[in-house]
Amino acid sequence: MKYRHLVVGIKEEQRDLFEAWSWEEGFMNLYFEELPDMTVTLHVILAEGEELPEFLTEVEFVDLGFSSEEDWYEKWRQTLRPFSLCGGITVVPMEEERPVESLSEIGLIPGMAFGTGLHESTRLAASLIKKVVRSGDRVLDVGCGTGILSVLAMKCGASEAIALDIDEHALEKTRETARINGVSVEVVKSDFLSALSEGESFDLIIANMIAELLERFAGDLKRFLRKNGSIVLSGIYKEKIRSISKLIDEDFTIDDTEEDGDWKALLLKER
């Protein structure tokens, strides 16, 4: 079968939106390529006669014509290169499951529509997690995605990680990532914090998602944070930092920050 190959350059902040929409629409034939100049190219593959999903119809693609399935799969496969996530931790993208036992490596099968940790927000969150996670910590990962941050926390010494997400694809991907890396992560379907019971508490709470989603539950995090615990919020675009700061100011102080370009991550401590 022949496949039509469409490409377009996008901004980093658009990447998360395209990933979210692709899962909502059930459209998996797209992937992202980060170029040496730090721009991002969105690749879309359509079967002959297949139409673009609605969320992509307004995008001005460049049409590269038709190619075989083997051609575009090989191009995607070539994007799977190891890369540094945060101090001393390397992500190893792979095509199929194989054990990754090293504490300094995280194995991950990215799939076509999943980020692999290249996005700034993931790197920023990872950097703060590595600074603050302590041996024996109980960790909560809200909106776990690929599970890469839960796995990082476990490899850095946490004793338990609970990963929450509303999306079944994300839950299965997190189970897969934990399995590859030989760590135990409890995966729970949850609309933000809805699956948590009163009285549950954590030493470290992680939430890496766009500010509009963070705003929906950030005010409830205090209930689940242990004394002397920490919260890592990431995925905050520069224009949203003021609104997030106002939301958490009454209960938390900002103990540390990480930023990259227009993206920012916060490390919070209870007042």
Side-chain angles (χ1 to χ4, degrees), residues 162-177:
I162 313 295
L164 307 181
D165 209 294
I166 192 63
D167 191 299
E168 291 287 355
H169 297 287
L171 299 176
E172 182 53 41
K173 179 59 66 173
T174 296
R175 293 187 188 98
E176 176 188 86
T177 303

Side-chain angles (χ1 to χ4, degrees), residues 64-177:
L64 299 184
F66 287 89
S67 60
S68 67
E69 179 177 3
E70 291 78 10
D71 290 340
W72 65 258
Y73 182 82
E74 177 61 23
K75 291 175 182 176
W76 169 78
R77 191 184 66 80
Q78 290 174 0
T79 69
L80 304 184
R81 304 184 186 94
F83 59 89
S84 175
L85 179 64
C86 59
I89 305 292
T90 299
V91 174
V92 183
M94 53 186 64
E95 296 176 68
E96 57 187 26
E97 286 191 38
R98 58 179 174 81
V100 176
E101 298 177 355
S102 171
L103 295 180
S104 63
E105 294 183 337
I106 296 177
L108 182 73
I109 301 175
M112 291 296 180
F114 261 112
T116 61
L118 283 169
H119 192 273
E120 289 96 332
S121 65
T122 308
R123 293 184 193 239
L124 297 176
S127 180
L128 289 176
I129 291 166
K130 194 165 189 300
K131 287 181 183 180
V132 76
V133 70
R134 300 164 298 188
S135 178
D137 274 356
R138 188 170 194 243
V139 176
L140 177 68
D141 184 3
V142 185
C144 54
T146 61
I148 191 171
L149 297 178
S150 292
V151 169
L152 171 66
M154 292 298 291
K155 288 205 169 191
C156 288
S159 63
E160 185 180 3
I162 313 295
L164 307 181
D165 209 294
I166 192 63
D167 191 299
E168 291 287 355
H169 297 287
L171 299 176
E172 182 53 41
K173 179 59 66 173
T174 296
R175 293 187 188 98
E176 176 188 86
T177 303

Side-chain angles (χ1 to χ4, degrees), residues 4 6-11 14 18 21 30 41-44 52-63:
R4 188 177 167 202
L6 307 177
V7 298
V8 65
I10 62 172
K11 297 178 181 179
Q14 294 176 298
F18 281 119
W21 288 333
L30 57 79
T41 300
L42 168 62
H43 295 256
V44 174
L52 279 169
E54 185 176 353
F55 75 93
L56 292 174
T57 54
E58 301 299 319
V59 179
E60 296 183 3
F61 286 101
V62 174
D63 192 336

Side-chain angles (χ1 to χ4, degrees), residues 34 37 46 54 83 134 145 150 155 213 229 233 244 260 262:
E34 188 167 285
D37 64 358
L46 297 176
E54 185 176 353
F83 59 89
R134 300 164 298 188
S150 292
K155 288 205 169 191
L213 298 181
L233 299 183
I244 291 293
D260 185 352
D262 293 329

